[in-house]
């Protein structure tokens, strides 16, 4: 079973230490139990027990220290990081959040030429410390062009930092806050390290009402020396964006963890509940909603796992990950919202009860598409790749699953963040041709109409500047990319053809939905409207396939995992 199940954790790990970390983390939360997890959530209790567990077991130190700076089992291994993301979110997003912002805080450090700061970071990780990413500001959000944090040179060659940062997770306790700013009077960017314990570091408040501490902090004449500077100029700029390239990917995995736990809980509630002398799972509309939720979740995980393969082989000559990573951030997280909505429609008021995991899931799943750049920002990025993806494929060898033991060095030397429109991709069509299934064929027909739309009814200059128009266009393109990698990974994981065809049932419907949105845009031309009408397709109906999917994959969820008390 590809979905995470704490009671039967059978994912492959090439190293014993990786398996040990995951198993101990599962045991920590299973022993803690849902009652204590929920009590801490309701009381907004700082997760000191988890951070102490991290320190004792060296979790972050092993998983987030690149090989040259850590112990024999330490490396930045995206394969292991994926799994840890999923496990933490499965039990509670707050635990995942402190890990996620530590990843972001470490990005500019591991990308820095400052070796002493790297060694210091490795030492602090070993001591159990967490890290923070001081990028966002209250007025400007993540608009790093407009940063108001400044370093002012002093006569003795040092600097004074002044400014404030907002939305900074772990900003209350990180001894190294990777802080982005500019040199005073210059358009030169800089990353430097600040320490929350310094008296010139003013912790203003926690801007959220949760277990997490998402800080607003101010630096007032904070002393900085050259030894505290991580990077300057173009490297600082690139480090900011390249860190987000790495970190945004993790949000999809948080959605996967949340949805998996919520699926188990919702299915158990429905499968053991009788209404009108029927079990809830016997109602046809409930079966349909559970089937959609399950197949959407399966697709989320297949895509995110496959994206990890492309991240692990990335190089200056192969930057395909720069499309796939934001699709994980944008598409997997919004699909997570759809999964929770489907499940919530089934369990109704039960999803609001304070003793359920689902109560947290409903709240937290909405957050993930809105972190590390909103959905529309990611779509605006994604459409830059569209022309080459459809019309100018490159030659790449077939990519095998990348689950072997290695440090993902390239992620910390990604280079300049320009030239996105020049990036090429392998031809997407063989992935579809490998699955001659009814709904895959319908989806291929929709793709071909969309390609013709792009060539024969090409958006004009005004439409290309219309974000509202591009949003729907980008949703269709994203869905094609999403489907391609799902099929590639379905082959690798030997996913049953019944499941593949059932996944494409919802993808055909989604394609039609986005085509209808594009049709309805005010600026759509008559020619474009006609192409959109041709994209509207009904999935291939197969009652026997649908029944097999239910009996083989949905029905066995009953009692498979019970949330610990």
């Amino acid at each position: 079973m590809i979905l995470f199940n704490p009671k039967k954790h059978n994912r492959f790990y090439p190293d014993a230490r990786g398996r040990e970390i995951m198993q101990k983390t599962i045991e920590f939360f299973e022993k803690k139990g849902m009652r204590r997890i929920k009590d801490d959530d309701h009381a907004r209790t700082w997760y000191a027990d988890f951070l102490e567990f991290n320190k004792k077991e060296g979790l972050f130190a092993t998983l987030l220290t690149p090989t040259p700076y850590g112990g024999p089992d330490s490396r930045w291994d995206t394969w292991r990081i994926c799994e840890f993301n999923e496990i933490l979110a499965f039990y509670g997003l707050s635990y995942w959040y402190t890990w996620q912002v530590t990843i972001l805080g470490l990005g500019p450090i591991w990308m820095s030429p400052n070796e002493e700061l790297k060694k210091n970071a490795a030492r602090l990780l070993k001591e159990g410390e967490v890290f923070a990413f001081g990028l966002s500001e209250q007025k400007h959000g993540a608009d790093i062009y407009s940063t108001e944090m400044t370093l002012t040179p002093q006569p003795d060659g040092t600097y004074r930092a002044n400014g404030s940062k907002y939305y900074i997770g772990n900003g209350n306790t990180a001894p190294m806050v990777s802080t982005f700013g500019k040199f005073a009077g210059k358009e030169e960017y800089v990353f430097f390290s600040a320490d929350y314990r310094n008296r010139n570091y003013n912790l203003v408040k926690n801007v959220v009402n949760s277990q997490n501490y998402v800080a607003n902090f101010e630096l007032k004449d904070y002393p900085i020396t050259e030894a505290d500077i991580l990077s300057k100029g173009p490297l600082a700029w690139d480090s900011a964006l390249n860190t987000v390239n790495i970190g945004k990917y993790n949000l999809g995995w948080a959605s996967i963890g949340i949805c998996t736990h919520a699926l188990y809980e919702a299915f158990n509630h429905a499968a053991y509940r009788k209404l009108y002398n029927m079990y809830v799972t016997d109602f046809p509309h409930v079966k349909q909603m559970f089937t959609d939720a399950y197949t959407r979740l399966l697709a989320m995980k297949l895509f995110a796992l496959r994206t990890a393969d492309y991240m692990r082989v990335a190089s200056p000559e192969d930057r395909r990950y720069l499309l796939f990573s934001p699709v994980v951030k944008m598409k997997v997280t919004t699909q997570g919202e759809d999964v929770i909505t489907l499940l919530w429609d089934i369990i109704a008021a039960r999803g609001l009860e304070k003793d359920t995991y689902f109560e947290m899931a409903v709240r937290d799943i909405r957050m993930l598409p809105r972190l590390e750049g909103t959905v529309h920002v990611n779509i605006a990025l994604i459409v830059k790749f569209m022309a080459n993806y459809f019309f100018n494929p490159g030659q790449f060898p077939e990519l095998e699953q990348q689950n072997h033991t290695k440090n993902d060095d390239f992620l910390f030397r990604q280079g300049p963040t320009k030239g996105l429109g020049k990036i090429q991709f392998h031809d997407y069509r063989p992935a579809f041709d490998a699955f001659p299934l009814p709904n895959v064929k319908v989806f291929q027909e929709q793709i071909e109409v969309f390609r013709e739309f792009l060539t024969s009814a090409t958006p004009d200059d005004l439409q290309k500047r219309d974000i509202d128009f591009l949003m729907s266009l980008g949703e269709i393109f994203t869905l094609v990319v999403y489907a391609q990698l799902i099929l590639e990974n379905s082959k690798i994981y030997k996913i049953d053809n019944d499941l593949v065809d059932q996944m494409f049932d919802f993808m055909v419907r989604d394609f039609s939905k986005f085509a209808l949105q594009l049709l309805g845009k005010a600026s759509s031309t008559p020619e474009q409207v006609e192409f959109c009408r041709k994209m509207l397709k009904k999935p291939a109906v197969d009652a026997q396939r649908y029944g097999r999917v239910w009996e083989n994959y949905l029905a066995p969820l009953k009692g498979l995992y019970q949330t610990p008390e």
Side-chain angles (χ1 to χ4, degrees), residues 270-336:
Y272 290 103
R273 183 176 175 84
K274 268 193 169 183
L275 294 175
Y276 309 109
N277 205 33
M278 292 175 63
Y279 285 106
V280 172
T281 45
D282 290 333
F283 287 100
H285 69 293
V286 170
K287 281 189 173 183
Q288 181 63 60
M289 287 190 283
F290 268 130
T291 301
D292 263 12
Y294 179 86
T295 52
R296 286 181 187 275
L297 175 54
L298 177 63
M300 289 161 62
K301 189 161 186 179
L302 287 168
F303 184 85
L305 281 168
R306 187 57 173 160
T307 296
D309 294 339
Y310 287 96
M311 292 175 71
R312 302 202 76 193
V313 300
S315 69
E317 296 73 39
D318 184 353
R319 302 170 73 201
R320 290 175 288 177
Y321 75 104
L322 290 177
L323 168 59
F324 303 145
S325 175
V327 172
V328 173
K329 193 278 170 194
M330 167 257 170
K331 185 68 177 179
V332 173
T333 58
T334 52
Q335 283 290 286

Side-chain angles (χ1 to χ4, degrees), residues 209-253:
N209 185 25
S210 77
Q211 284 182 265
N212 303 311
Y213 200 106
V214 184
N216 170 206
F217 71 82
E218 295 176 341
L219 302 185
K220 295 183 176 180
D221 287 332
Y222 187 105
I224 294 292
T225 68
E226 287 291 337
D228 300 312
I229 291 180
L230 291 162
S231 52
K232 299 178 182 179
L235 179 57
W237 174 267
D238 291 336
S239 294
L241 297 180
N242 287 334
T243 293
V244 174
N245 287 341
I246 299 171
K248 73 170 63 174
Y249 168 77
N250 298 315
L251 281 89
W253 279 101

Side-chain angles (χ1 to χ4, degrees), residues 97 136 165-172 201 203-208 212-217:
Y97 182 74
S136 297
K165 293 292 180 179
Y166 210 77
Y167 309 119
I168 311 304
N170 290 348
N172 63 319
Y201 184 108
L203 195 61
V204 179
K205 63 178 178 179
N206 186 356
V207 304
V208 299
N212 303 311
Y213 200 106
V214 184
N216 170 206
F217 71 82

Side-chain angles (χ1 to χ4, degrees), residues 50 62 101 157 236 285 462 481 499 550:
F50 173 65
T62 303
V101 291
H285 69 293
L462 284 176
V481 176
L499 269 179
W550 179 267

Side-chain angles (χ1 to χ4, degrees), residues 242 244 317 386 447 457 476 493:
N242 287 334
V244 174
E317 296 73 39
M386 190 159 56
I447 296 173
I476 295 174
Y493 279 92

